[in-house]
Amino acid sequence: MAAPAAAERTTDSLLNPANKTNHGSETSSVAPKEPPDFVVDFVVKEVGSDLKSLKNVGELLEKLREENMALEEQVLSVSSSVPPKVSAALCAAEEARCSLEELLQRERLVSNKLHQHLQGAQPWMDRLGQTFNQVDIIERHLKYLRCLQHIEELSAAVQQCLMTSSVWEAIRAVDSMAALDAGLSQSGCSHLQDFLRETLHFWHKIIKDRLANDFEKILTQLHWPIISPPTQSLTPAANSQEISSQLDLLVTQLLALQTSDDLISQRASASSQGAPSTQMVSTATPLSQEPPLCLPIQIMLLPLGKRFRYHFYGNRQTNSLSKPEWYLTQVLMWMSNSSAFMEEKIQPILDRAGVAISARVELCRGLLCLVQEKVASDASRLLYDDVLFCHLVEEVLQFEKELRSNQSYPAVLPGLLHLLLDDAILQKWLTVEKKMAVEKMDAMLSAEGAWSSQYKDISDMDELKAPDCAETFMTLLQVITERYRALPCPSAQLKFLGLQRELVDDFRIRLTQVMKEESRCPLGPRYCAILNAVNYISTILGDWGDNVFFLQLQQAAVSLGEEVLQGLGVIELGRLASLEGSLFEGLLGLLDRLKGDMMGRLLEWTMREITENAKPYCQDRWLSLPSQHDQSTMTLSSSACPMMLCVRDRLLHLHQVLSLSLFQLAWQGLAERLDNFLYQDVILSNHFSDGGAAQLQFDMTRNLFPLFGHYCKRPENFFKHVKEAYIILCLNIGSALLLRNLLKESAEEVRDWAITGDPSPESALNELGVYCLAPCDVLILLNLKASLPGQ
């Protein structure tokens, strides 16, 4: 409707121009308003600027009248159609309201009838509920009695089978009892469950004892347990075939009894956990989480368990807290000696029975239970004896290593290391480790040969020239790493890593203290040995940062977060997570800072000695030296000899006492300082004749540079200021004048080099081999040439 209204307004304005005039008169003396823009645009579009087209105005007015009438008809038709629709909607709403009231009235009637019916039926429902409850109670009683009868039938069947020596049927009946017990686990019939479990335990013990007795007799005939290394029998026993078949039968029957045995053992362990235990149980890998041992292996372990407790408990001499290696070695020997028997005699029976277990691993697991109990008991008694505690930890680590390597014990099964993760034992281990490490650091730093390298006479092995104290210290850290590497808990490993970081920082502080005492003579052997030690430790820690083991620890540290990485910010944690940094990054920064400080002291001391010997050379009469053409042969300036000898001696000395990487930094730093010194104190502080410039070039290229040429191919690249300075000083007069004019014009900015096409000052200097010196520096050097006019 907006567009027709606009067109109507346009029509009215065109048909009644007087309206606009009258409107203007009503607004006092204000000038009449201009017609709207859309009106002007409409007139221009339809009439145009041609006066001849005004004849079309009549047709245009007629057309607008027709459009206006059409719009009026549309408005009238729409307005006339609205009331019927509204009235129809109102009628429909009224009908819906009436229908809803009718439905509500019917709902009330039905609800009243239903309520009356329920009240009448309630007595029947109460009587039926009582009847159903009685029926339900009777059914439960019947089920209870049937279950009790089934238990008695199974018990009678087991008794009958045992009387007729039908062991297999008895085992099946016991298995049925075990299955019934599992089905009643959620039942509330506690007395029935107790009766069933007592019955099951009774018959299971009888069958197990009978089979165990027969199994032990067969094992005795097979010379089990094997205490000493087995020997190859020359002649097999006469009844070996019968023994093998009986062994096969008994092992298979014991395996069939495994289900009920596991059920009974799990219930016994659950009841024992409810009571307070006097044994130390590790929180890292609870032994109760392991599956129960195979029943035949349990019986085979009985004689070994008796021997173990006989020798290593009580008042026996073999039960010594100072000798844990006795029982650990004994158990390893039993494992090794029994390995062939388990593989040849027991494993084939297990395979034929479809049991997916390893007989050898099961035996090792059973023997480990004996050792775990003994180690846990001894460790708790040794918490206040550092020496014996350390010995126990060493023996446990060695036992674990041999168990995994020699006995091929699976890594997924726990050995003994989880016992060391108990809070008290782990904290004691860390305390003793730190105490012993600090004592060893004190001893290694105070030893007589602490600052000499043990490989000093072997050039191929003495690149790092690490003093004995630094090498011993890093060996100490490596031994600590090897001790805690096998721990199954990353958080415990990170605690030892934190101890190592603390020890490194402590050793750095000790080196700093010794360095300050030796800083009065930085060229002394002990000062250089300390510098080598810092470099050696930094190099080794850098290599450790790329080691797979420490990278895995780094990821574990990031995942554990602040609890192991205290003091690190978000940026450091992000760098560790992205592997940009390492766990030793902070220590490496401190070591590098110490190394840089020590290297700076060393070079400053060396340069002080060189500059002292270079004073005659700085004060030489460069202006009065004869031209090169006036000399038959050129020789080294006599005033330069002390300086050259000092440089040579110091380079040789540093090469002998510093490691290769440190010496590389030393001679390069010395070359940089010497370059600045010669440029400032020799070249810029004197004027040079042509002979003086040639002599300077000869002294540098034929004497100084070759001293550094032993350690690099192009030593002049490390003396850029001196090299470029004597290039400028040795220019002939013509070239020097042209260059000076060019540089002066450049300084005065009187020429645009891009427009004139002349070479720029930089390109001209580059053609001469000058890249380091700025044009203003070259101008200063040119002013030092005595042969140039105007000097």
Side-chain angles (χ1 to χ4, degrees):
M1 299 296 292
E8 184 177 356
R9 289 195 303 269
T10 304
T11 306
D12 292 340
S13 62
L14 291 175
L15 292 176
N16 301 310
N19 293 339
K20 185 170 63 174
T21 305
N22 295 334
H23 178 71
S25 62
E26 291 173 359
T27 57
S28 68
S29 61
V30 180
K33 295 183 179 179
E34 295 293 331
D37 293 339
F38 69 89
V39 175
V40 176
D41 294 339
F42 179 78
V43 172
V44 172
K45 179 180 178 182
E46 296 295 334
V47 178
S49 58
D50 189 5
L51 296 176
K52 296 181 179 180
S53 60
L54 292 177
K55 62 182 180 179
N56 299 326
V57 172
E59 297 178 358
L60 177 60
L61 291 175
E62 186 64 28
K63 179 180 178 181
L64 292 175
R65 288 193 188 96
E66 293 177 357
E67 290 180 357
N68 191 22
M69 292 175 63
L71 292 173
E72 289 178 354
E73 291 178 359
Q74 290 180 7
V75 172
L76 291 175
S77 62
V78 170
S79 61
S80 62
S81 63
V82 170
K85 290 182 179 180
V86 173
S87 60
L90 291 175
C91 292
E94 183 65 22
E95 292 177 359
R97 185 185 64 79
C98 296
S99 177
L100 179 61
E101 289 180 354
E102 183 180 356
L103 288 175
L104 290 174
Q105 186 176 2
R106 291 173 59 189
E107 186 270 338
R108 284 192 293 271
L109 292 175
V110 172
S111 177
N112 293 332
K113 290 181 179 180
L114 179 61
H115 183 67
Q116 294 174 0
H117 178 73
L118 290 176
Q119 286 181 345
Q122 186 64 39
W124 294 92
M125 292 175 63
D126 295 339
R127 288 194 290 271
L128 285 175
Q130 294 176 359
T131 304
F132 287 153
N133 290 335
Q134 293 175 357
V135 171
D136 186 47
I137 292 173
I138 294 172
E139 285 184 350
R140 289 202 303 270
H141 288 173
L142 285 175
K143 290 180 180 179
Y144 190 94
L145 294 174
R146 287 172 185 169
C147 185
L148 188 61
Q149 181 183 4
H150 184 55
I151 296 172
E152 292 177 348
E153 290 175 354
L154 290 175
S155 178
V158 173
Q159 183 179 12
Q160 183 67 27
C161 292
L162 290 178
M163 293 175 62
T164 58
S165 299
S166 301
V167 180
W168 279 113
E169 286 75 7
I171 293 174
R172 293 189 186 96
V174 170
D175 281 343
S176 299
M177 285 188 192
L180 182 59
D181 184 33
L184 292 175
S185 60
Q186 302 299 326
S187 173
C189 303
S190 58
H191 297 290
L192 181 63
Q193 288 180 348
D194 294 340
F195 174 72
L196 174 59
R197 289 169 183 173
E198 290 176 1
T199 306
L200 174 62
H201 188 271
F202 174 79
W203 290 118
H204 174 271
K205 185 177 184 303
I206 291 177
I207 298 175
K208 180 179 178 180
D209 290 345
R210 176 181 293 188
L211 294 178
N213 290 332
D214 296 340
F215 188 45
E216 288 173 353
K217 293 178 182 178
I218 295 298
L219 290 175
T220 303
Q221 296 180 28
L222 294 173
H223 308 289
W224 180 265
I226 303 174
I227 305 303
S228 59
T231 57
Q232 185 68 29
S233 179
L234 298 178
T235 57
N239 58 345
S240 60
Q241 186 67 32
E242 181 183 355
I243 294 175
S244 297
S245 61
Q246 291 179 0
L247 179 67
D248 194 338
L249 176 63
L250 290 171
V251 171
T252 306
Q253 289 176 342
L254 287 170
L255 290 174
L257 202 62
Q258 185 73 44
T259 303
S260 58
D261 190 76
D262 291 347
L263 185 64
I264 293 173
S265 61
Q266 289 173 4
R267 189 177 299 115
S269 63
S271 61
S272 65
Q273 286 179 0
S277 176
T278 58
Q279 296 180 359
M280 180 183 300
V281 180
S282 170
T283 58
T285 307
L287 302 182
S288 60
Q289 292 183 359
E290 299 180 34
L293 286 172
C294 177
L295 187 55
I297 307 299
Q298 293 181 29
I299 299 172
M300 296 179 71
L301 283 168
L302 292 176
L304 294 175
K306 290 180 181 179
R307 288 176 176 271
F308 187 86
R309 290 182 174 85
Y310 176 81
H311 289 291
F312 304 115
Y313 282 89
N315 298 324
R316 298 287 175 182
Q317 293 182 352
T318 50
N319 181 25
S320 174
L321 289 175
S322 61
K323 297 294 182 182
E325 62 270 22
W326 285 353
Y327 64 83
L328 293 175
T329 305
Q330 183 62 71
V331 168
L332 288 174
M333 291 176 61
W334 286 345
M335 291 179 181
S336 179
N337 296 338
S338 306
S339 177
F341 182 88
M342 302 302 293
E343 292 288 346
E344 296 173 4
K345 299 293 184 180
I346 306 300
Q347 189 62 48
I349 303 175
L350 298 179
D351 295 340
R352 287 192 294 271
V355 181
I357 59 175
S358 170
R360 181 182 56 79
V361 172
E362 284 291 287
L363 182 69
C364 294
R365 195 156 67 92
L367 291 174
L368 271 176
C369 292
L370 300 174
V371 180
Q372 288 167 352
E373 182 181 352
K374 177 65 175 174
V375 170
S377 174
D378 288 356
S380 62
R381 298 166 61 188
L382 295 177
L383 289 177
Y384 301 101
D385 192 322
D386 294 350
V387 176
L388 294 183
F389 180 84
C390 290
H391 182 59
L392 175 64
V393 171
E394 290 286 353
E395 291 299 328
V396 167
L397 294 174
Q398 184 63 30
F399 176 87
E400 184 80 16
K401 183 178 180 181
E402 294 185 12
L403 179 69
R404 303 296 180 180
S405 58
N406 297 342
Q407 303 302 326
S408 301
Y409 195 67
V412 295
L413 296 176
L416 295 182
L417 292 183
H418 65 279
L419 298 175
L420 302 178
L421 299 180
D422 180 81
D423 292 339
I425 296 178
L426 183 62
Q427 188 58 44
K428 178 65 176 179
W429 185 5
L430 288 167
T431 303
V432 173
E433 197 80 67
K434 180 179 180 180
K435 177 184 176 182
M436 298 184 66
V438 171
E439 291 176 355
K440 290 180 181 178
M441 279 196 293
D442 293 336
M444 69 179 68
L445 288 173
S446 59
E448 183 177 353
W451 304 108
S452 61
S453 173
Q454 57 180 331
Y455 305 111
K456 58 184 177 181
D457 299 328
I458 308 174
S459 58
D460 294 341
M461 299 180 62
D462 201 33
E463 277 193 7
L464 293 175
K465 289 184 173 61
D468 189 61
C469 62
E471 193 164 0
T472 306
F473 175 71
M474 295 310 295
T475 303
L476 171 66
L477 292 185
Q478 182 63 40
V479 171
I480 294 176
T481 303
E482 293 302 323
R483 275 199 286 266
Y484 76 81
R485 179 192 292 269
L487 289 178
C489 180
S491 61
Q493 292 177 330
L494 287 168
K495 290 181 180 178
F496 282 93
L497 178 65
L499 172 62
Q500 288 179 307
R501 289 159 54 95
E502 185 179 347
L503 292 175
V504 171
D505 196 48
D506 187 8
F507 195 74
R508 177 190 64 84
I509 294 174
R510 292 168 183 257
L511 291 178
T512 304
Q513 292 172 348
V514 181
M515 180 271 295
K516 290 180 179 179
E517 297 175 0
E518 300 294 329
S519 60
R520 290 171 295 182
C521 183
L523 294 177
R526 178 169 292 191
Y527 186 92
C528 295
I530 297 171
L531 184 55
N532 286 330
V534 174
N535 181 66
Y536 175 74
I537 296 173
S538 178
T539 302
I540 298 299
L541 291 181
D543 294 339
W544 284 6
D546 297 329
N547 185 275
V548 176
F549 171 69
F550 289 105
L551 289 175
Q552 292 172 347
L553 273 188
Q554 181 171 333
Q555 292 302 308
V558 173
S559 63
L560 293 175
E562 287 294 330
E563 53 189 70
V564 296
L565 293 177
Q566 298 178 358
L568 291 182
V570 178
I571 298 177
E572 288 79 2
L573 285 174
R575 286 176 56 81
L576 289 179
S578 61
L579 298 180
E580 294 181 8
S582 72
L583 293 171
F584 306 101
E585 189 170 7
L587 294 172
L588 289 174
L590 294 174
L591 290 170
D592 289 341
R593 187 183 305 170
L594 176 59
K595 180 171 67 175
D597 181 53
M598 293 185 68
M599 182 64 71
R601 292 171 183 261
L602 180 65
L603 294 179
E604 287 176 7
W605 183 275
T606 305
M607 277 304 301
R608 194 179 302 130
E609 189 175 356
I610 292 175
T611 53
E612 186 67 26
N613 287 276
K615 285 183 179 179
Y617 193 65
C618 298
Q619 299 170 1
D620 210 342
R621 303 178 61 187
W622 301 100
L623 189 59
S624 60
L625 290 179
S627 174
Q628 183 179 1
H629 300 289
D630 299 335
Q631 302 182 39
S632 57
T633 56
M634 294 194 68
T635 59
L636 175 66
S637 300
S638 58
S639 59
C641 291
M643 179 185 70
M644 297 295 179
L645 288 174
C646 184
V647 172
R648 183 201 65 180
D649 294 342
R650 291 297 160 254
L651 286 175
L652 290 175
H653 177 71
L654 294 176
H655 188 253
Q656 291 174 356
V657 298
L658 294 180
S659 65
L660 184 60
S661 59
L662 285 177
F663 176 68
Q664 198 80 5
L665 296 175
W667 75 256
Q668 291 179 6
L670 184 61
E672 180 183 358
R673 285 169 169 78
L674 193 55
D675 178 45
N676 291 329
F677 167 72
L678 293 174
Y679 181 71
Q680 295 290 340
D681 291 34
V682 176
I683 298 175
L684 294 182
S685 299
N686 293 282
H687 286 75
F688 293 84
S689 63
D690 292 340
Q695 184 64 47
L696 175 68
Q697 182 181 19
F698 180 82
D699 293 342
M700 297 296 105
T701 58
R702 301 296 297 277
N703 295 278
L704 179 63
F705 294 170
L707 293 178
F708 292 86
H710 295 288
Y711 316 112
C712 64
K713 292 183 178 180
R714 300 183 64 85
E716 62 273 9
N717 291 337
F718 295 92
F719 293 87
K720 294 181 179 180
H721 292 86
V722 173
K723 173 187 173 183
E724 296 180 4
Y726 68 64
I727 289 176
I728 299 300
L729 293 175
C730 291
L731 288 175
N732 57 51
I733 296 178
S735 300
L737 287 173
L738 291 174
L739 180 60
R740 186 175 66 176
N741 294 334
L742 180 64
L743 296 178
K744 285 184 177 181
E745 292 177 356
S746 172
E748 297 171 358
E749 298 181 354
V750 298
R751 184 181 300 181
D752 190 345
W753 310 104
I755 297 176
T756 60
D758 295 336
S760 65
E762 288 78 10
S763 60
L765 292 176
N766 292 343
E767 290 179 2
L768 295 175
V770 177
Y771 300 92
C772 178
L773 296 178
C776 58
D777 298 327
V778 174
L779 269 177
I780 295 174
L781 291 172
L782 289 174
N783 291 331
L784 298 178
K785 285 180 63 69
S787 59
L788 283 183
Q791 300 298 329

